[in-house]
Amino acid sequence: ELKVEQNPLFLSMQEGKNYTIYCNYSTTSDRLYWYRQDPGKSLESLFVLLSNGAVKQEGRLMASLDTKARLSTLHITAAVHDLSATYFCAVDGGTSYGKLTFGQGTILTVHP
Amino acid sequence: NAGVTQTPKFRILKIGQSMTLQCTQDMNHNYMYWYRQDPGMGLKLIYYSVGAGITDKGEVPNGYNVSRSTTEDFPLRLELAAPSQTSVYFCASSKGRTGELFFGEGSRLTVL
């Protein structure tokens, strides 16, 4: 059974600081996704990582995938308040696209 | 462009009642999914479909049924509602090529 674990689960940051969220998974996969969820809202796709060594960047967020280590990271650079949200990683471990196993989510709060 | 549309957004059910959550997408995606999200948790896959007439169980299918008579629609049926089905339900679709999911706004269900 595929397990996906994120850490930390709660992250309180000051504006301007850098930090990394980690996503570990238990079985072989080369398809990993990051989503953002604002309170009471739906999930918004941030990054799609489809191969070992994949790196994607959008604004202050950068995601990477190491399939050999079964690890993805979401790096936050110079955090701003607007980044406050819950971030989920999700791994596709099956043969059908979209059968994702989600991590528990990391609740990020950015303080002034 | 509406994307994935879910109805209703909110519903309160009594124990033992039944209801159908509606989901429709206008992106001509073959793959569709139902996930549930319990408070403070990631999403768990209930059922999925890879095309009209084809459905299969996900991780937590008990107490639910689905059908897929058209590419656009993927309703989720709850029979004999139980308090354990209190959750937020998300419908999603994907093209299948990358597996990236596009989510609806969610349906918040409470069973009392």
Side-chain angles (χ1 to χ4, degrees):
Chain A
E1 180 191 345
L2 173 58
K3 292 192 186 303
V4 181
E5 292 188 352
Q6 290 180 232
N7 72 83
L9 298 184
F10 300 92
L11 180 54
S12 180
M13 295 177 65
Q14 273 192 308
E15 280 189 332
K17 299 292 188 184
N18 304 332
Y19 210 84
T20 301
I21 299 171
Y22 296 89
C23 174
N24 290 92
Y25 54 98
S26 61
T27 64
T28 302
S29 176
D30 58 2
R31 294 199 291 266
L32 189 140
Y33 308 83
W34 285 95
Y35 290 89
R36 168 183 171 144
Q37 185 179 39
D38 293 309
K41 302 291 187 182
S42 186
L43 282 80
E44 172 192 357
S45 178
L46 292 175
F47 299 109
V48 177
L49 303 170
L50 299 178
S51 61
N52 186 40
V55 177
K56 297 274 183 78
Q57 182 160 7
E58 179 73 34
R60 300 174 188 274
L61 300 177
M62 183 173 72
S64 65
L65 178 61
D66 181 343
T67 58
K68 293 189 174 114
R70 299 177 186 168
L71 171 68
S72 179
T73 60
L74 180 66
H75 187 72
I76 302 154
T77 301
V80 293
H81 179 70
D82 285 352
L83 290 179
S84 297
T86 300
Y87 293 85
F88 292 98
C89 65
V91 178
D92 189 340
T95 55
S96 292
Y97 293 110
K99 283 178 62 180
L100 301 186
T101 299
F102 282 77
Q104 313 96 303
T106 296
I107 299 175
L108 172 64
T109 306
V110 181
H111 299 284
Chain B
N1 188 358
V4 179
T5 302
Q6 292 181 231
T7 56
K9 289 188 168 36
F10 303 94
R11 182 74 186 267
I12 298 175
L13 281 182
K14 293 182 180 176
I15 294 171
Q17 288 185 320
S18 300
M19 75 161 297
T20 299
L21 299 177
Q22 302 291 345
C23 175
T24 187
Q25 51 93 8
D26 61 1
M27 297 176 282
N28 201 32
H29 287 170
N30 283 327
Y31 294 75
M32 295 188 75
Y33 315 85
W34 276 104
Y35 284 88
R36 61 177 284 174
Q37 183 180 31
D38 297 323
M41 303 292 288
L43 279 68
K44 292 188 187 296
L45 182 63
I46 305 171
Y47 270 96
Y48 69 101
S49 170
V50 300
I54 306 169
T55 63
D56 205 351
K57 296 177 182 178
E59 186 182 359
V60 289
N62 291 344
Y64 307 95
N65 276 301
V66 293
S67 59
R68 184 97 182 269
S69 56
T70 66
T71 299
E72 295 78 18
D73 300 309
F74 190 40
L76 177 71
R77 177 84 178 160
L78 281 74
E79 304 281 1
L80 299 175
S84 61
Q85 293 178 303
T86 294
S87 191
V88 180
Y89 292 84
F90 287 100
C91 180
S93 71
S94 77
K95 281 184 205 176
R97 187 170 60 87
T98 65
E100 181 184 16
L101 300 187
F102 296 85
F103 285 88
E105 292 292 311
S107 298
R108 185 176 298 273
L109 176 67
T110 302
V111 182
L112 300 174

